[in-house]
């Protein structure tokens, strides 16, 4: 097992009893994206929903948040809670963090749900764009980035004026500039995780919004095919935010997956 990096203490919500389940949000959100799933799954599971470093109420130190560092934060939280192994569900950036945990600290992962995420590194163009975006956010704040993300986060028919969509916009604009920049730089440098997923030995499910404009369905399908024993579940009427756009369907898939995992 790899040596863990210096972790920060993450803010987290913890509810329920039973199999520990870590819910990791995407970029640049907070654990609140999982509200519907936390409320529903807490009847059968011990839900731990942290804010990743730089997001929500967690510390936002200056620097580059590489994926291993973010995974170390989550493992340190599990250590603090006395949890040896948990099921992890990672949305988008949260999925990249989960892949880093599978690569570097696999003993913490009992099962993996990969939600609207993928294992590929950034292209050189995308990397450059992220590094430039980090500079813009540091000088002007995250409002422009949040607006541009609003255009692609949801399925085309999802009402962007709905309270749920507006809450997502507010979550993004509330993310500290240092946190947004740190995560952008970390994502720009993230490694290829294809081989990590090919070698996965824990039960896994891939959850994909059929209308995801950020992680195309074909990419999710290819990822699921490459993972031994992984199931692909597609969510109709959802884009990149299935937990918000189709909360019941997303909860049902997670519940079904978690139900099958060994308790110990
Ligand atoms: C996310 O939702 O976490 C982001 O779309 C991930 C990314 O920018 O690669």
């Amino acid at each position: 097992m790899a040596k863990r990096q210096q972790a920060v203490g993450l803010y987290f919500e913890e509810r329920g009893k039973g199999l520990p389940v870590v819910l990791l949000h995407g970029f640049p959100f907070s654990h609140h994206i999982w509200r519907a799933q936390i409320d529903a799954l807490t009847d059968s599971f011990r839900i731990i929903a942290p804010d990743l470093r730089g997001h929500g109420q967690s510390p936002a130190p200056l620097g580059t948040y590489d994926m291993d560092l973010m995974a170390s934060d989550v493992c340190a939280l599990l250590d603090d809670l006395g949890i040896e192994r948990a099921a992890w569900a990672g949305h988008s950036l949260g999925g990249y963090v989960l892949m880093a945990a599978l690569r570097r600290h696999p003993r913490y992962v009992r099962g993996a749900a990969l939600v609207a995420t993928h294992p590929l590194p950034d292209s050189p163009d995308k990397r450059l764009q992220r590094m430039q975006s980090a500079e813009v956010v540091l000088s002007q704040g995250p409002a422009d980035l949040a607006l541009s993300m609003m255009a692609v986060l949801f399925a085309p028919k999802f009402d962007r004026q709905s309270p749920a969509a507006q809450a997502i916009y507010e979550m993004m604009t509330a993310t500290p500039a240092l946190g947004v920049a740190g995560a952008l730089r970390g994502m720009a440098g993230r490694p290829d995780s294809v081989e990590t997923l090919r070698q996965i030995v824990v039960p896994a499910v891939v959850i994909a919004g059929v209308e995801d404009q950020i992680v195309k369905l074909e990419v999710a399908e290819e990822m699921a095919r490459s993972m031994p024993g992984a199931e692909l579940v597609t969510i109709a009427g959802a884009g990149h935010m299935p937990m918000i756009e189709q909360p019941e369907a997303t909860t049902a898939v997670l519940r079904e997956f978690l139900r099958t995992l060994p308790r110990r």
Side-chain angles (χ1 to χ4, degrees):
M1 190 178 56
K3 190 165 174 291
R4 280 228 317 268
Q5 303 191 48
Q6 187 59 47
V8 297
L10 298 179
Y11 179 86
F12 65 101
E13 180 172 339
E14 182 187 17
R15 281 170 55 194
K17 290 196 169 65
L19 175 77
V21 179
V22 178
L23 300 179
L24 300 181
H25 61 80
F27 166 86
F29 311 116
S30 76
H31 77 279
H32 289 294
I33 64 164
W34 297 111
R35 178 57 44 217
Q37 289 70 40
I38 296 172
D39 288 348
L41 295 173
T42 206
D43 63 356
S44 312
F45 303 101
R46 180 177 176 189
I47 304 293
I48 297 124
D51 289 338
L52 293 170
R53 76 163 56 203
H55 296 74
Q57 290 169 257
S58 283
L62 177 69
T64 296
Y65 304 167
D66 67 53
M67 299 304 108
D68 291 350
L69 187 57
M70 292 179 115
S72 290
D73 293 339
V74 179
C75 295
L77 171 61
L78 292 178
D79 285 347
D80 287 349
L81 294 171
I83 295 171
E84 282 181 21
R85 282 180 97 197
W88 294 42
H91 168 243
S92 205
L93 163 64
Y96 308 156
V97 175
L98 167 48
M99 291 174 220
L102 285 166
R103 184 168 47 246
R104 308 274 297 178
H105 314 292
R107 78 157 178 88
Y108 288 91
V109 186
R110 184 184 298 276
L114 293 157
V115 184
T117 192
H118 67 91
L120 305 172
D122 280 355
S123 65
D125 281 355
K126 179 79 184 173
R127 208 169 289 148
L128 186 64
Q129 184 209 320
R130 287 210 208 258
M131 298 306 275
Q132 287 169 345
S133 182
E135 294 309 313
V136 172
V137 169
L138 284 175
S139 61
Q140 295 166 28
D144 282 358
L145 177 78
L147 259 189
S148 65
M149 286 191 74
M150 281 302 274
V152 290
L153 279 181
F154 305 106
K157 285 202 180 124
F158 193 72
D159 179 5
R160 281 152 177 76
Q161 303 308 321
S162 63
Q166 286 307 304
I168 289 295
Y169 175 72
E170 278 156 31
M171 218 180 271
M172 290 194 282
T173 53
T175 305
L178 275 180
V180 175
L184 280 168
R185 293 184 187 126
M187 287 192 288
R190 73 187 189 282
D192 188 325
S193 292
V194 170
E195 207 44 47
T196 301
L197 293 187
R198 278 209 188 111
Q199 290 173 17
I200 193 166
V201 291
V202 291
V205 64
V206 172
I207 302 176
V210 172
E211 297 175 77
D212 192 334
Q213 300 170 68
I214 295 177
V215 181
K216 298 283 183 210
L217 187 54
E218 307 84 77
V219 174
E221 286 170 343
E222 176 62 32
M223 175 171 88
R225 266 196 301 274
S226 76
M227 296 166 63
E231 193 192 353
L232 169 70
V233 184
T234 57
I235 310 269
H240 192 60
M241 306 296 288
M243 74 296 286
I244 302 285
E245 297 168 272
Q246 299 294 338
E248 286 90 7
T250 305
T251 302
V253 177
L254 282 173
R255 186 185 290 285
E256 187 50 30
F257 173 65
L258 296 170
R259 214 181 44 79
T260 62
L261 294 181
R263 302 269 133 180
R264 306 216 154 266

